[in-house]
Amino acid sequence: MGTTKAGSSNRGLIIGVVCVALVAAGGLFAATTGLFGGADEQLASGDTDKVMNALSSIDNEKFASADNRDARAKALDTLKNSSIESVFDRMRSDDLTDEQRDKLRENMGQLMREDMERKVDEYLSAPETDKQAIMDRHIDEMVAFRDKMRAYRDKHKDDPEAEKEQQERRQNWTRPTTQQRKERMESRNPEKMAQMMRYWPKMMARAKERGINMGWGPGGGRRGGGKDK
């Protein structure tokens, strides 16, 4: 009888250990396979919070690699459809370390650069009959984004934390040296730069035709009562 109880106890102990091991193994498997959402999966999740978490954790160089091109495009679509409040509140969150905040800003910059490159490619490769409509859509998108940014800034202009953040940004900003400017120029794709130089004057000219000031200052916006020419 005592032997039977001991055997049952041992079997129970063994089963318990096995269960714990399986749970641990399952957790390890989930972590290594991204079952609970690796950075690349979060980027393509369509969820704003997950996308922002990924942008603040993934290495900038890895993020910019060709392997993540599709994930970057999906992340950008998610952010475009998100409220600017949720995006910028996350960027200002106290939950982020300085390193995470730097990663987030750099990766967001990567998304914006690629979005601009896609606009340039779309316009320059389009038939002449479609170019003006495409350019007008691009201008409308840029003006809408600028206005959202301005509204967010105005809403938080009296926020002590926002003012503190702006002061820190101004203090930490330094004018790039000649060497840094040279390195940046050399790192850029000459063909992309040439395309941008062809696109930008056309965009500015079309905006002027429509009575739109593309500036980001207080005077930016439409002229003539807000109507296109």
Side-chain angles (χ1 to χ4, degrees), residues 209-224:
E209 286 179 6
R210 294 179 54 187
I212 298 174
N213 180 353
M214 294 301 291
W216 283 72
R222 297 185 188 277
R223 295 196 302 263

Side-chain angles (χ1 to χ4, degrees), residues 60 63-64 76 105-120 188 196:
N60 301 136
F63 179 69
L76 180 63
R105 286 172 177 160
E106 180 60 32
N107 288 334
M108 290 279 284
Q110 176 72 25
L111 290 181
M112 294 180 72
R113 287 191 294 272
E114 290 193 354
D115 185 47
M116 195 69 239
E117 288 176 0
R118 276 191 288 271
K119 284 181 169 65
V120 172
R188 292 171 182 166
M196 185 67 73

Side-chain angles (χ1 to χ4, degrees), residues 48-80:
T48 303
D49 289 338
K50 290 181 179 179
V51 169
M52 295 297 286
N53 285 339
L55 292 174
S56 64
S57 63
I58 190 169
D59 177 76
N60 301 136
E61 186 174 347
K62 177 183 178 183
F63 179 69
S65 70
D67 293 339
N68 279 319
R69 187 182 305 276
D70 290 342
R72 290 196 301 274
K74 291 177 181 177
L76 180 63
D77 285 341
T78 299
L79 295 181
K80 281 186 173 182

Side-chain angles (χ1 to χ4, degrees), residues 8-228:
S8 297
S9 178
N10 288 338
R11 283 196 298 274
L13 179 61
I14 292 171
I15 291 172
V17 171
V18 170
C19 287
V20 171
L22 287 174
V23 170
L28 178 61
F29 176 79
T32 56
T33 60
L35 182 60
F36 295 133
D40 53 346
E41 292 185 355
Q42 289 183 332
L43 289 171
S45 67
D47 182 278
T48 303
D49 289 338
K50 290 181 179 179
V51 169
M52 295 297 286
N53 285 339
L55 292 174
S56 64
S57 63
I58 190 169
D59 177 76
N60 301 136
E61 186 174 347
K62 177 183 178 183
F63 179 69
S65 70
D67 293 339
N68 279 319
R69 187 182 305 276
D70 290 342
R72 290 196 301 274
K74 291 177 181 177
L76 180 63
D77 285 341
T78 299
L79 295 181
K80 281 186 173 182
N81 293 317
S82 304
S83 74
I84 201 164
E85 289 277 344
S86 62
V87 174
F88 279 88
D89 284 351
R90 178 57 181 162
M91 292 183 73
R92 296 173 56 197
S93 172
D94 292 335
D95 295 338
L96 295 179
T97 65
D98 290 341
E99 181 183 4
Q100 288 174 323
R101 207 180 311 279
D102 288 342
K103 284 182 178 179
L104 177 56
R105 286 172 177 160
E106 180 60 32
N107 288 334
M108 290 279 284
Q110 176 72 25
L111 290 181
M112 294 180 72
R113 287 191 294 272
E114 290 193 354
D115 185 47
M116 195 69 239
E117 288 176 0
R118 276 191 288 271
K119 284 181 169 65
V120 172
D121 289 341
E122 181 186 21
Y123 175 80
L124 294 179
S125 62
E128 284 298 324
T129 53
D130 297 339
K131 284 185 182 295
Q132 182 168 300
I134 291 172
M135 182 65 78
D136 284 343
R137 173 162 49 82
H138 292 175
I139 291 171
D140 290 342
E141 288 179 7
M142 285 186 260
V143 168
F145 176 71
R146 181 202 59 194
D147 290 348
K148 287 181 181 179
M149 290 280 288
R150 182 181 295 154
Y152 182 87
R153 181 189 63 194
D154 291 345
K155 180 180 178 180
H156 295 275
K157 64 182 179 181
D158 297 324
D159 184 342
E161 288 298 321
E163 179 62 25
K164 178 182 176 182
E165 182 183 1
Q166 290 181 5
Q167 288 179 353
E168 290 177 349
R169 191 181 302 124
R170 285 193 290 265
Q171 290 171 357
N172 294 331
W173 183 86
T174 56
R175 188 178 300 278
T177 64
T178 301
Q179 180 62 28
Q180 287 174 329
R181 287 196 294 268
K182 182 174 180 291
E183 290 174 356
R184 289 177 187 177
M185 291 293 291
E186 291 175 348
S187 67
R188 292 171 182 166
N189 185 316
E191 182 179 356
K192 293 292 184 184
M193 290 181 64
Q195 290 176 340
M196 185 67 73
M197 293 297 290
R198 291 165 54 198
Y199 171 91
W200 201 256
K202 294 178 182 295
M203 186 273 291
M204 296 297 287
R206 178 55 184 161
K208 185 176 181 180
E209 286 179 6
R210 294 179 54 187
I212 298 174
N213 180 353
M214 294 301 291
W216 283 72
R222 297 185 188 277
R223 295 196 302 263
K227 295 181 181 179
D228 291 349

